[in-house]
C-alpha cells in the first residue's frame, strides 16, 4: 500500500500478514467528500484468527523475548514510522482532511514518540518489595514481578487516529502483551500502515493485529466480547464505553476508558489576555474542535469579557478553511457529513436557546474540491445560559460558549457543574489562585496558562463520565501488566 493517488485497499492484518476476506466498505476523504480507500470489515472468523494469532505471540517468541530486545523492537517501530513519515502523513490527511501542518507537527511525530517513550518507561520501573516478620519469629521477603495481561483489544477513534492508537499499542507491547486493534471505521489507514511497519521491522507474527469494521454486531463487538481477550483499552464516546462495558462484563475483562468531555476554561481578569486569547483560540479550533480536551465552555471574569470575546472573534475569523495541502489553510473539515449534521443541529439549537452568534454558525463558502467537504464555520456564542443544552452536551466541533462570571467561587462552581470531567484550562497570573482553582477542578487533567501541553509520563484520563482509569507513564504500565507477588520465607 503506497500512499499515492489510486484508491487504496485496506485489508485486515492478522498473524503478521494482510489477509483477504471481509465485506468492503468505503473510506471517505472529509475534505472533498470523495471515497479514497476501501477497507474490509473483519467478520467473526477473522477476529477469531486475530485473537488466536495474538495468543500464540504471547505464548511464543514475543513472550520469551528479553526486555532489552523488546525495547529495541519498540524503538525500531518508532524509526519505521519516521522512515515512512510521508506515507503516514498522506494516509492521515486522506482519512481526516486535516491541514498538512497539523498532521506533520502533531499526529505523525507523536505516533513515533509514543513508542520511544514507552521503551524508556518500561526500563525504569522500580519493583515493589516488603520485608515482613513471620509468626514464628523469622523473616520473609515479598516482591512483585510484572506479567503481561495477554491479548489486549485496542479500540480507537477518528480524531487523532495514529496518535491515540499508538498511545495504547506502545505501552501494551512494552509490557509484553499482543494487541488486536480496531481503528475507527472512518480512519483505518494509518493503523493499516503500522501493520506494514511491524512486518518491515521484524516484529514477531501476531504481536500486532488489525481488524477493520464498525461497533455493534461488527468487529468492535466481536473483539470486546471475545473470551480470548483479557483487557480492552478504548478511546471514544462515553455511550460507546458503556456498550463496551456491557459486552466485556461476561468475561470480566480489565477496562481502560478515555471518554468524552465538556471541558471548561476559566479566564481571570488578572490573566495575560493576549496569551489567553491565543491559547484558547488554539484550544477551541485546533483539529476543527475535534480534540477530546478542547474547551467548549469558556468562563471569563466580567471586566475582561468584552475584550476576550473581541480577541477570540478576530482569531476565529482569521482561520482559513480549505484543502489540507493548500497554502495558508489552517482549518480542516469535520470527519463526516453525519458529524457535520450533528454539529449544525447544535449551532441551530444555540440560536433557539437565545445565543448571540459572535461569529460563524454555518457552513463556509468554498469552491473547487473543498465544496464537497464537510466544513463548518468556527463558531462562538455569548448570551447562553450556563445550563443550555449546547453548554452541557459534547458537540465535538469548532465552537464555544463564552459566559461571564463575577467571583472565583462562581467560576469553579460553573466549571464543575457537568457530568463530564476530562480537562480544564485556567488562565491567571495570580500564582495562588492558579494552584487553588486547578486543584478544585473535578477533572483528570488541568492546565494553567496552557492547554494540551503533554508530558507522556504523567497521568492522563478523565473523572466522572470522562473515563475509567489513567494511562501515561507508569499508569499505563499498571494497566497493561499485573503484579504477581512472590513471598519468600528467608
Ligand atoms: N478522553 C480521551 O482521551 C478522548 C480522546 C479522543 C476522543 N475522545 C472522545 O471520542 C469521541 C469521538 O470519537 P468517535 O466518534 O470515534 O467515538 P466512538 O465512540 O463513536 O467510536 C470509537 C471507536 O469505538 C468503536 N465502537 C463503536 N461502537 C462500538 C461498540 N458497540 N463496541 C465496540 N466498539 C465500538 C468505533 O468503531 C470506533 O473504533 C468523542 O466523544 C471524544 O470526546 C476521548
Ligand atoms: O482527543 C483527545 C486527545 C487525547 C490526547 C492524548 O491521549 C495524548 O496526548 O496522549
Amino acid at each position: 500500500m503506497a500512499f499515492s493517488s489510486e484508491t487504496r485497499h485496506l485489508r485486515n492484518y492478522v498473524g503478521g500478514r494482510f489477509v483477504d476476506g471481509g465485506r468492503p466498505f468505503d473510506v471517505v476523504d472529509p475534505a472533498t467528500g470523495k471515497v479514497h480507500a476501501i477497507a474490509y470489515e473483519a467478520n467473526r472468523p477473522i477476529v477469531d484468527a486475530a485473537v488466536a494469532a495474538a495468543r500464540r505471540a504471547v505464548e511464543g517468541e514475543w513472550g520469551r523475548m528479553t526486555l532489552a530486545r523488546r525495547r529495541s523492537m519498540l524503538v525500531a517501530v518508532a524509526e519505521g514510522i519516521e522512515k515512512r513519515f510521508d506515507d503516514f502523513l498522506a494516509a492521515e490527511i486522506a482519512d481526516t482532511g486535516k491541514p498538512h501542518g497539523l498532521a506533520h507537527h502533531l499526529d505523525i511525530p507523536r505516533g513515533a514518540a509514543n513508542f520511544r517513550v514507552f521503551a524508556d518507561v518500561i526500563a525504569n520501573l522500580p519493583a515493589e518489595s516488603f520485608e515482613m516478620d513471620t509468626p514464628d519469629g523469622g523473616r520473609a521477603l515479598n516482591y512483585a514481578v510484572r506479567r503481561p495481561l495477554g491479548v489486549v483489544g485496542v479500540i480507537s477513534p477518528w480524531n487523532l487516529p495514529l496518535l491515540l492508537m499508538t498511545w495504547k499499542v506502545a505501552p501494551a507491547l512494552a509490557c509484553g502483551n499482543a494487541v488486536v486493534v480496531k481503528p475507527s471505521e472512518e480512519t483505518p489507514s494509518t493503523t493499516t500502515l503500522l501493520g506494514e511497519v511491524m512486518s518491515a521491522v521484524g516484529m514477531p507474527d501476531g504481536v500486532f493485529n488489525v481488524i477493520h469494521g464498525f461497533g455493534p454486531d461488527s468487529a468492535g463487538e466481536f473483539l470486546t466480547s471475545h473470551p480470548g481477550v483479557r483487557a480492552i483499552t478504548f478511546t471514544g464516546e462515553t455511550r460507546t464505553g458503556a456498550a463496551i462495558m456491557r459486552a466485556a462484563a461476561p468475561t470480566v475483562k480489565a477496562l481502560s476508558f478515555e471518554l468524552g468531555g465538556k471541558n471548561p476554561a476559566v479566564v481571570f481578569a488578572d490573566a495575560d489576555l493576549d496569551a489567553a486569547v491565543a491559547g484558547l483560540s488554539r484550544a477551541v479550533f485546533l483539529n476543527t474542535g475535534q480534540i477530546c480536551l478542547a474547551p467548549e465552555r469558556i468562563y471569563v471574569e466580567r471586566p475582561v469579557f468584552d475584550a476576550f470575546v473581541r480577541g477570540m472573534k478576530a482569531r476565529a475569523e482569521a482561520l482559513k478553511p480549505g484543502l489540507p495541502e493548500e497554502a495558508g489553510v489552517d482549518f480542516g473539515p469535520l470527519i463526516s457529513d453525519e458529524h457535520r449534521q450533528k454539529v449544525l443541529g447544535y449551532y441551530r439549537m444555540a440560536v433557539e436557546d437565545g445565543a448571540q452568534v459572535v461569529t460563524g454558525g454555518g457552513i463556509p463558502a468554498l469552491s473547487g474540491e473543498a465544496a464537497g467537504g464537510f466544513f463548518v464555520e468556527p463558531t462562538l456564542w455569548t448570551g447562553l445560559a450556563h445550563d443550555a443544552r449546547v453548554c452541557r452536551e459534547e458537540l465535538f466541533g469548532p465552537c464555544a460558549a463564552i459566559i461571564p462570571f463575577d467571583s472565583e467561587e462562581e467560576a469553579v462552581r460553573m466549571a464543575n457543574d457537568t457530568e463530564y470531567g476530562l480537562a480544564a484550562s485556567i488562565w491567571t497570573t495570580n500564582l495562588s489562585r492558579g494552584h487553588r482553582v486547578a486543584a478544585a477542578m473535578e477533572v483528570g487533567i488541568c492546565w494553567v496558562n496552557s492547554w494540551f501541553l503533554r508530558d507522556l509520563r504523567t497521568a492522563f484520563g478523565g473523572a466522572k463520565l470522562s473515563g475509567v482509569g489513567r494511562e501515561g507513564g507508569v499508569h499505563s504500565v499498571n494497566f497493561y501488566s499485573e503484579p504477581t507477588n512472590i513471598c519468600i520465607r528467608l
Side-chain angles (χ1 to χ4, degrees):
M1 183 179 61
F3 257 84
S4 54
S5 52
E6 77 281 10
T7 304
R8 266 83 51 167
H9 289 268
L10 309 174
R11 297 196 164 77
N12 297 287
Y13 181 71
V14 176
R17 47 197 63 80
F18 288 96
V19 298
D20 288 334
R23 189 183 63 85
F25 64 92
D26 291 345
V27 184
V28 172
D29 174 352
T32 62
K34 291 189 179 143
V35 174
H36 79 88
I38 308 289
Y40 294 84
E41 181 184 7
N43 50 28
R44 222 183 260 279
I46 293 176
V47 176
D48 286 346
V51 174
R55 181 78 250 158
R56 282 195 301 276
V58 175
E59 288 168 357
E61 182 190 353
W62 182 243
R64 291 192 296 271
M65 201 176 266
T66 62
L67 178 60
R69 178 93 186 99
R70 205 192 311 144
R71 289 181 60 223
S72 72
M73 291 305 301
L74 296 183
V75 173
V77 174
E79 288 167 356
I81 294 173
E82 283 154 358
K83 211 161 134 194
R84 297 194 61 188
F85 192 95
D86 290 346
D87 289 337
F88 276 95
L89 191 60
E92 202 75 306
I93 288 173
D95 277 357
T96 61
K98 66 178 76 190
H100 179 108
L102 175 59
H104 191 278
H105 286 108
L106 177 66
D107 299 74
I108 313 306
R110 257 297 299 277
N114 286 336
F115 285 96
R116 285 189 200 286
V117 163
F118 285 103
D120 280 346
V121 167
I122 202 69
N124 291 293
L125 294 172
E128 181 180 283
S129 153
F130 294 99
E131 230 181 301
M132 66 183 282
D133 295 333
T134 58
D136 58 358
R139 300 284 290 162
L141 175 68
N142 294 275
Y143 66 94
V145 293
R146 289 174 202 277
R147 296 175 50 81
L149 301 175
V151 180
V152 174
V154 178
I155 302 200
S156 50
W158 45 258
N159 58 332
L160 302 167
L162 181 71
L163 187 161
L164 290 172
M165 180 265 298
T166 52
W167 174 239
K168 292 171 176 300
V169 169
L173 298 193
C175 290
N177 302 284
V179 296
V180 179
V181 183
K182 201 214 69 70
S184 168
E185 58 273 30
E186 320 262 17
T187 55
S189 297
T190 46
T191 307
T192 311
L193 261 182
L194 190 59
E196 293 188 11
V197 168
M198 293 288 175
S199 290
V201 303
M203 186 63 82
D205 294 347
V207 171
F208 177 82
N209 303 274
V210 181
I211 53 169
H212 292 301
F214 307 82
D217 205 24
S218 180
E221 191 180 314
F222 302 156
L223 183 63
T224 53
S225 58
H226 201 292
V229 174
R230 280 315 310 142
I232 298 287
T233 178
F234 165 73
T235 298
E237 285 186 26
T238 297
R239 67 162 183 273
T240 310
I244 291 176
M245 234 175 203
R246 283 191 293 274
T251 45
V252 284
K253 298 184 200 322
L255 300 173
S256 175
F257 286 173
E258 296 177 352
L259 307 175
K262 187 67 186 179
N263 308 303
V266 181
V267 180
F268 287 96
D270 61 34
D272 174 340
L273 205 63
D274 289 343
V277 166
L280 288 177
S281 56
R282 177 171 165 272
V284 173
F285 300 126
L286 192 74
N287 209 39
T288 314
Q290 303 167 117
I291 295 187
C292 57
L293 310 159
E296 291 188 349
R297 306 177 284 144
I298 306 180
Y299 301 101
V300 183
E301 202 165 1
R302 207 173 295 272
V304 296
F305 186 82
D306 290 344
F308 179 80
V309 172
R310 270 197 309 277
M312 290 289 286
K313 173 177 158 70
R315 291 273 179 164
E317 292 175 355
L319 291 168
K320 184 175 172 197
L323 296 176
E325 306 288 349
E326 234 173 87
V329 164
D330 53 6
F331 190 76
L334 293 173
I335 191 66
S336 63
D337 195 35
E338 190 189 344
H339 188 47
R340 174 160 75 167
Q341 293 315 322
K342 174 184 157 186
V343 170
L344 289 174
Y346 278 106
Y347 280 15
R348 283 191 293 276
M349 194 189 294
V351 174
E352 284 158 21
D353 287 349
Q356 275 111 53
V357 180
V358 175
T359 188
I363 296 176
L366 294 171
S367 55
E369 282 210 294
F374 310 130
F375 291 86
V376 294
E377 289 178 316
T379 296
L380 297 167
W381 303 287
T382 57
L384 277 167
H386 157 73
D387 60 356
R389 258 186 80 186
V390 209
C391 298
R392 284 188 283 117
E393 296 174 15
E394 180 185 53
L395 277 71
F396 224 52
C399 51
I402 312 179
I403 296 171
F405 70 87
D406 293 300
S407 71
E408 182 181 310
E409 188 193 11
E410 183 190 14
V412 168
R413 183 173 46 73
M414 289 197 291
N416 284 337
D417 185 19
T418 167
E419 54 192 1
Y420 290 109
L422 188 56
S425 174
I426 311 295
W427 295 78
T428 179
T429 52
N430 178 326
L431 188 63
S432 312
R433 170 178 273 156
H435 286 288
R436 188 168 62 232
V437 173
M441 291 290 110
E442 296 167 359
V443 295
I445 308 131
C446 184
W447 282 285
V448 179
N449 297 327
S450 61
W451 174 80
F452 203 5
L453 200 51
R454 295 278 289 113
D455 180 325
L456 305 185
R457 296 167 300 182
T458 59
F460 185 93
K464 302 197 254 182
L465 292 192
S466 291
V468 176
R470 293 290 180 273
E471 297 197 29
V474 71
H475 306 279
S476 297
V477 174
N478 287 340
F479 177 72
Y480 294 105
S481 66
E482 53 195 2
T484 297
N485 185 69
I486 298 174
C487 179
I488 303 193
R489 196 190 159 92
L490 298 175

